[in-house]
Amino acid sequence: MRHSGASRGSSPHLALLAVLLAAAAPLPAQADEAPEKDATAIDEMVVTATGYGEARSTHPGNITKIPGDEADFVKPRQPAELLNRAPGIDIQQGSGVEHLTAIRSPVLTGTAGAGSFLYLEDGVPMRAAGFANVNELMDAMVEGAGGIEIVRGPGSALYGSNAEHGLINILSRAPSEAPEGSLTGEIGPHGVRNLDGTASTTIRDSDGTGHGFRGTFALGEDGGFRANSGYGQQKGQFRYDLTMPDTTLRATLTAMNLNQETAGYATSYKDPAIYKANANPEAYRDAWAVRGAVRIEHDLGNGQKIALTPYMRTNGMNFLMHFQPGTPVEENGHWSGGLLGSYALTLKGGHRLILGLDTEYTDGYLREIQSSPTIPGAGGYVTGTHYDYDVTALVAAPYLHSVWELGERTELTAGLRYEITRYDYRNNTASNLTGRFLRPANRTDTFGNLTPKLGITHVFSDEIIGFANLARAARAPQTADLYRLQTGQNPSAIRSETLDSIEIGARGKIDRVRYELAAYFMKKRNFAFRDANGDNITDGRTKHTGIEAEIAAPLLWNFDIAASASYAHHTYDFTDIITKPGYAPESILPGNDIDTAPRTVANVRLGYAFDEDRGRAEIEWVHLGAYWMDASNSSRYPGHDLFNLRTEYRLTENFTIFGRLMNIFDKRYADRGDLFCLPAPTGCKSRYFPGEDRALYVGTTISF
């Protein structure tokens, strides 16, 4: 058995800490990082829509911003703890850092889960298009983030592949004007030990040029509340800002390393003898990622700006696929580089244009090898190499984003993006069918996707700003869709996935209550997923309807409240009848709820500031509605309601204590549940990733 993930990979800790704490810091906040007010302020600036910064109030679609001070208070050990506070989002935790995401969607798995959401760091995708990972948020530096912006549904014309159901843009924290630093330590049950830190300053030349520096690190160890589980993870980020009268530069370098011992599915989330055990003690996940980007923005005068962002990234992962029969080992990775370029122009009358071109080159690989014996009757899970291939990819995408002033109170936004993707695939093993695994011969595939956008905003009054949005999103198939094939598939028949969306909403401020409401309808074609008999389906169709709300308001006696809620109905829009002998009769029919698609999701926080704002306490209610665990809607998870308590208190100007009590009432629940089917005599069975028992975490922050 492998030794504990909580101890593996810890040797870089001190070196990483020393390098990052040596960093110095900042500049005044740039246009894309205006001083934050609160998480629902409609007059705050957001950067995700255009890259140059604009008022949230006139954004022609939904957008949620979680400010950096809220992230500091929550102190999330996993991104889900913070992101699930936004409407329309349900990120379900697996073991350790593993997770699956839903944004205006069911919880999606496999290539659907990898390719349907775009994860960005300062506007640059964290993984290459076509090589996304379903656990991609494990790369994210949410600790010490300067803020997080979330768009639900298709993004603007600036974003192409993977920005279908939504995108999450994690903003690095800007350097401070004066020297500052902090260290935060936290301990908790089952060996939880976390240490975060940041150091920052700005140096100014005699001509006013600013050189800002910030270094941030996060070191985490968790022994796991289940047997033979736990992980050690190290993250670090360095940011440098250069500010001159007509030019700004922001450079970031981020690194992540993970060593995890993974707990597999459990057959019960209520019986401690079962959910605290681990049927897959041999399972593990090792991963690392490094990425760097430089954004250079130059003001040309006369309402013209140009921005260039060269970037590079590399990553690798090795893990045991405990969720598959035969438990093969997968190795994958890629390195890539690209350039994001845009030219912004303000015309007479206030009209604005952005012309852009995004380019990217990627070289990736994937190996899958099963060392365990062939499983008789398990549908072709055979010993040996299942896949061994390399893929190079080239993406080029010109786009136009425009904003037209139709009047003092009305703006029309129109955009168009054309994205072309070319894959060159090289098979390194026999081009044949082995068991259920089809390895195609060497080939080249090209995809072109045109995605128009149209939106309008109208200011009716200070109390209500209306918006409507029509958009098409599309993505070329993930490389795993095309080349990780199974019996009966033909790569030539696999097409780009498209999603058409219509959205209408309103935001505003009534007295001291700030709100945003949105309703949407979406249709998706060429949906790629794996059905109950283990076959890859690449021509599915689905429908998605929902309404979302977020609200925040101060109350009497230093109380405040913030809430988000969504009601959604995600259904299949095609038929898939399972006819293979011996398989369970799980069939997809039009109108069936998509599995793992709760109709209701909500998060409510009641806060209280005390002792002249030296302290804050917050109780959080997390609601997840019931959902079907299978596509034929025969087995149901009942949903759950959890309550968490967080508090912090500043004892002195430089010393703060904090604590959080998670799952106050020790509710038994599942982070995720589904129905897994194999041929007879095994059949179908429920399986879960159980949620953690009540847990208390405490810590301190020292500022200097």
Side-chain angles (χ1 to χ4, degrees), residues 27 69 73 110 150 224 249 256 331 350 515 539 592 621 642 681:
L27 300 180
D69 55 4
F73 176 75
I150 304 164
L249 179 149
M256 185 281 297
E331 296 182 16
Y515 71 91
D539 59 353
N592 279 13
W621 169 40
L642 304 177

Side-chain angles (χ1 to χ4, degrees), residues 104-305:
R104 284 193 179 177
S105 70
V107 175
L108 297 174
T109 63
T111 56
S116 298
F117 315 107
L118 183 61
Y119 304 107
L120 306 156
E121 182 177 79
D122 290 331
V124 179
M126 292 194 291
R127 296 284 182 108
F131 299 82
N133 187 280
V134 74
N135 300 292
E136 196 165 321
L137 281 171
M138 68 184 177
D139 293 355
M141 190 77 184
V142 295
E143 300 87 350
I148 300 175
E149 295 180 357
I150 304 164
V151 174
R152 306 179 302 278
S156 70
L158 274 69
Y159 305 106
S161 284
N162 297 28
E164 277 193 310
H165 280 282
L167 61 92
I168 297 172
N169 189 11
I170 298 170
L171 307 176
S172 61
R173 179 158 295 183
S176 59
E177 184 65 33
E180 69 172 24
S182 67
L183 284 173
T184 298
E186 181 185 57
I187 59 172
H190 46 77
V192 169
R193 295 181 295 173
N194 299 310
L195 179 65
D196 303 346
T198 186
S200 181
T201 193
T202 289
I203 300 171
R204 293 203 171 274
D205 297 338
S206 58
D207 62 357
T209 298
H211 304 271
F213 307 87
R214 180 176 292 277
T216 305
F217 72 90
L219 312 177
E221 294 190 355
D222 186 339
F225 76 99
R226 302 179 62 194
N228 300 297
S229 68
Y231 66 88
Q233 187 176 37
Q234 307 87 44
K235 302 178 187 178
Q237 184 177 80
F238 175 76
R239 171 168 166 169
Y240 167 70
D241 284 12
L242 172 67
T243 300
M244 296 183 291
D246 57 2
T247 303
T248 60
L249 179 149
R250 181 188 63 227
T252 55
L253 178 65
T254 307
M256 185 281 297
N257 180 66
L258 169 71
N259 302 109
Q260 173 177 298
E261 305 300 320
T262 304
Y265 282 98
T267 56
S268 171
Y269 61 90
K270 295 183 177 180
D271 184 349
I274 297 177
Y275 74 72
K276 289 190 175 182
N278 180 9
N280 303 99
E282 76 285 1
Y284 67 93
R285 182 182 297 270
D286 293 333
W288 58 271
V290 179
R291 56 187 179 272
V294 179
R295 178 181 171 90
I296 305 167
E297 187 174 321
H298 181 64
D299 190 338
L300 300 172
N302 298 319
Q304 302 176 78
K305 290 183 179 180

Side-chain angles (χ1 to χ4, degrees), residues 327-404:
T327 59
V329 170
E330 179 184 321
E331 296 182 16
N332 67 65
H334 67 269
W335 71 265
S336 58
L339 176 66
L340 310 178
S342 65
Y343 167 72
L345 173 65
T346 299
L347 305 173
K348 291 182 179 180
H351 311 306
R352 304 184 298 279
L353 297 177
I354 299 178
L355 298 169
L357 175 64
D358 298 344
T359 58
E360 181 174 272
Y361 175 82
T362 305
D363 192 342
Y365 66 91
L366 183 141
R367 323 272 184 261
E368 182 183 315
I369 300 173
Q370 179 176 321
S371 59
S372 61
T374 297
I375 303 176
Y381 293 90
V382 297
T383 302
T385 298
H386 296 168
Y387 305 102
D388 181 355
Y389 62 77
D390 301 303
V391 182
T392 58
L394 183 63
V395 178
Y399 65 85
L400 168 66
H401 177 90
S402 63
V403 180
W404 305 93

Side-chain angles (χ1 to χ4, degrees), residues 323-574:
F323 46 86
Q324 291 288 355
T327 59
V329 170
E330 179 184 321
E331 296 182 16
N332 67 65
H334 67 269
W335 71 265
S336 58
L339 176 66
L340 310 178
S342 65
Y343 167 72
L345 173 65
T346 299
L347 305 173
K348 291 182 179 180
H351 311 306
R352 304 184 298 279
L353 297 177
I354 299 178
L355 298 169
L357 175 64
D358 298 344
T359 58
E360 181 174 272
Y361 175 82
T362 305
D363 192 342
Y365 66 91
L366 183 141
R367 323 272 184 261
E368 182 183 315
I369 300 173
Q370 179 176 321
S371 59
S372 61
T374 297
I375 303 176
Y381 293 90
V382 297
T383 302
T385 298
H386 296 168
Y387 305 102
D388 181 355
Y389 62 77
D390 301 303
V391 182
T392 58
L394 183 63
V395 178
Y399 65 85
L400 168 66
H401 177 90
S402 63
V403 180
W404 305 93
E405 299 280 354
L406 303 184
E408 291 184 3
R409 294 175 171 265
T410 307
E411 287 187 347
L412 178 72
T413 300
L416 186 66
R417 182 184 181 94
Y418 181 71
E419 186 166 301
I420 186 166
T421 303
R422 175 189 169 95
Y423 296 133
D424 287 307
Y425 158 83
R426 300 182 301 281
N427 183 28
N428 300 318
T429 188
S431 300
N432 61 7
L433 179 68
T434 175
R436 67 183 298 120
F437 306 104
L438 175 63
R439 291 91 61 102
N442 296 353
R443 57 183 290 126
T444 298
D445 295 281
T446 302
F447 302 89
N449 292 304
L450 187 68
T451 51
K453 324 279 182 178
L454 183 66
I456 191 168
T457 61
H458 181 75
V459 180
F460 294 95
S461 67
D462 291 341
E463 288 76 25
I464 181 168
I465 300 169
F467 60 86
N469 207 25
L470 286 169
R472 164 166 285 193
R475 68 171 178 91
Q478 295 287 294
T479 54
D481 290 327
L482 284 167
Y483 310 123
R484 199 176 191 168
L485 303 180
Q486 298 189 11
T487 308
Q489 286 192 282
N490 178 3
S492 298
I494 299 173
R495 293 170 290 176
S496 294
E497 187 175 279
T498 61
L499 183 147
D500 293 313
S501 169
I502 181 170
E503 174 186 34
I504 186 169
R507 62 174 66 93
K509 180 180 179 182
I510 302 175
D511 194 9
R512 297 189 299 167
V513 179
R514 297 185 179 95
Y515 71 91
E516 181 170 292
L517 303 171
Y520 64 89
F521 174 73
M522 304 189 300
K523 294 186 68 172
K524 185 160 65 171
R525 297 173 180 83
N526 300 324
F527 173 42
F529 69 102
R530 180 169 291 187
D531 68 9
N533 64 13
D535 286 344
N536 289 334
I537 305 298
T538 57
D539 59 353
R541 295 183 303 278
T542 59
K543 293 181 179 179
H544 311 267
T545 306
I547 185 168
E548 301 159 342
E550 60 178 322
I551 188 171
L555 303 175
L556 298 175
W557 306 301
N558 293 329
F559 284 93
D560 58 79
I561 190 168
S564 67
S566 62
Y567 175 86
H569 194 196
H570 307 287
T571 59
Y572 293 105
D573 195 29
F574 75 110

